[in-house]
């Protein structure tokens, strides 16, 4: 065998041989067989050797803007040149180089600024890279709360059923709404979403 354009051949003997570490380029491989009596017969084939590509990293659906104190999900996948999955390591740093731990596919920023998320996938000596930036700002907006309930008058001893409030927040998609009932300075015990108006007077319900 020899690289195309060169004069010297390297000879290997045997019915099955392995050629290792060929440099990128085109190589001629000549097969020769003889019976010791007649003229040898040769057959030449050309093999193109290319550089193996580094893994390709594909960044997942990651927010470009987030809020201080709220977890930011980060993810990526990678494939090698053969289409096989390659593990991806993730590093998150802020503008000052401080590194943040990534757990369960997320990190939690502790201050406003720009965070760089770096993804690395390694296949032997070949390394694939990708990065993503997240701008983190302070959350200064209160949640929006809605309750379908109006002031009402009931007889003493009545059981009052309270609706669940609904809330939306720009930073936290999992806002929890709690409800409490007070009679003056006394807290009233709820049974599920109901309470008993045992005393005559005004009850204050807070969501």
């Amino acid at each position: 065998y020899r690289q195309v354009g060169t004069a010297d051949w390297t000879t290997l003997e045997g019915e099955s041989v392995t050629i290792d570490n060929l440099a990128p380029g085109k190589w001629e491989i000549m097969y020769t067989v003889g019976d010791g009596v007649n003229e040898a017969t040769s057959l030449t084939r050309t093999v193109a050797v290319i550089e193996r590509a580094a893994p390709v990293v594909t960044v997942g659906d990651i927010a470009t803007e987030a809020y201080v104190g709220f977890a930011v999900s980060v993810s990526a996948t990678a494939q090698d040149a053969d289409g096989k999955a390659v593990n991806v390591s993730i590093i998150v740093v802020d503008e000052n180089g401080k590194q943040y731990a990534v757990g369960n596919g997320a990190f939690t920023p502790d201050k406003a600024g720009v965070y760089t998320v770096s993804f690395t996938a390694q296949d032997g000596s070949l390394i694939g890279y990708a990065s993503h930036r997240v701008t983190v700002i302070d959350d200064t907006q209160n949640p929006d709360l809605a309750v379908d309930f109006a002031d009402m008058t009931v007889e003493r001893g009545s059981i009052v059923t309270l609706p669940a409030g609904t809330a939306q927040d720009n930073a936290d998609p999992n806002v929890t709404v709690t409800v409490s009932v007070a009679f003056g300075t006394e807290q009233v015990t709820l049974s599920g979403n109901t309470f008993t108006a045992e005393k005559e007077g005004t009850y204050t319900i807070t969501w």
Side-chain angles (χ1 to χ4, degrees):
Y1 66 95
R2 68 180 180 183
Q3 192 164 17
V4 173
T6 61
D8 297 332
W9 291 86
T10 298
T11 301
L12 299 171
E13 295 185 359
E15 294 182 358
S16 177
V17 296
T18 301
I19 304 174
D20 292 324
N21 301 321
L22 292 181
K26 289 187 177 181
W27 292 77
E28 291 178 308
I29 301 176
M30 180 184 293
Y31 301 88
T32 303
V33 61
D35 59 8
V37 177
N38 299 298
E39 184 177 350
T41 300
S42 296
L43 178 67
T44 302
R45 293 289 184 266
T46 300
V47 175
V49 178
I50 62 174
E51 291 279 7
R52 183 174 177 83
V56 176
V57 179
T58 302
V59 178
D61 185 14
I62 305 175
T64 57
E65 185 174 282
Y67 297 90
V68 173
F70 292 92
V72 181
S73 296
V74 291
S75 64
T77 58
Q79 289 186 331
D80 64 13
D82 300 319
K84 296 179 181 178
V86 179
N87 289 333
V88 179
S89 60
I90 305 174
I91 295 176
V92 180
V93 296
D94 64 15
E95 295 166 305
N96 298 317
K98 177 183 175 181
Q99 186 169 329
Y100 290 76
V102 178
N104 297 320
F107 77 96
T108 303
D110 59 4
K111 60 184 176 182
V114 178
Y115 292 69
T116 300
V117 187
S118 299
F119 305 90
T120 305
Q122 186 165 357
D123 176 23
S125 61
L126 301 173
I127 302 176
Y129 300 96
S131 64
H132 181 86
R133 288 190 174 185
V134 181
T135 300
V136 176
I137 61 177
D138 290 312
D139 179 20
T140 58
Q141 183 175 332
N142 294 328
D144 293 324
L145 176 62
V147 180
D148 186 15
F149 190 80
D151 292 348
M152 61 189 307
T153 300
V154 299
E155 294 182 351
R156 184 164 60 86
S158 297
I159 296 176
V160 181
T161 300
L162 305 175
T166 58
Q168 292 184 334
D169 185 67
N170 60 309
D172 187 358
N174 301 310
V175 178
T176 300
V177 180
T178 59
V179 60
S180 63
V181 179
F183 184 80
T185 60
E186 176 187 349
Q187 289 295 312
V188 177
T189 301
L190 288 171
S191 176
N193 65 332
T194 66
F195 73 94
T196 302
E198 297 178 344
K199 299 179 180 179
E200 187 174 324
T202 300
Y203 290 78
T204 301
I205 306 166
T206 304
W207 282 267

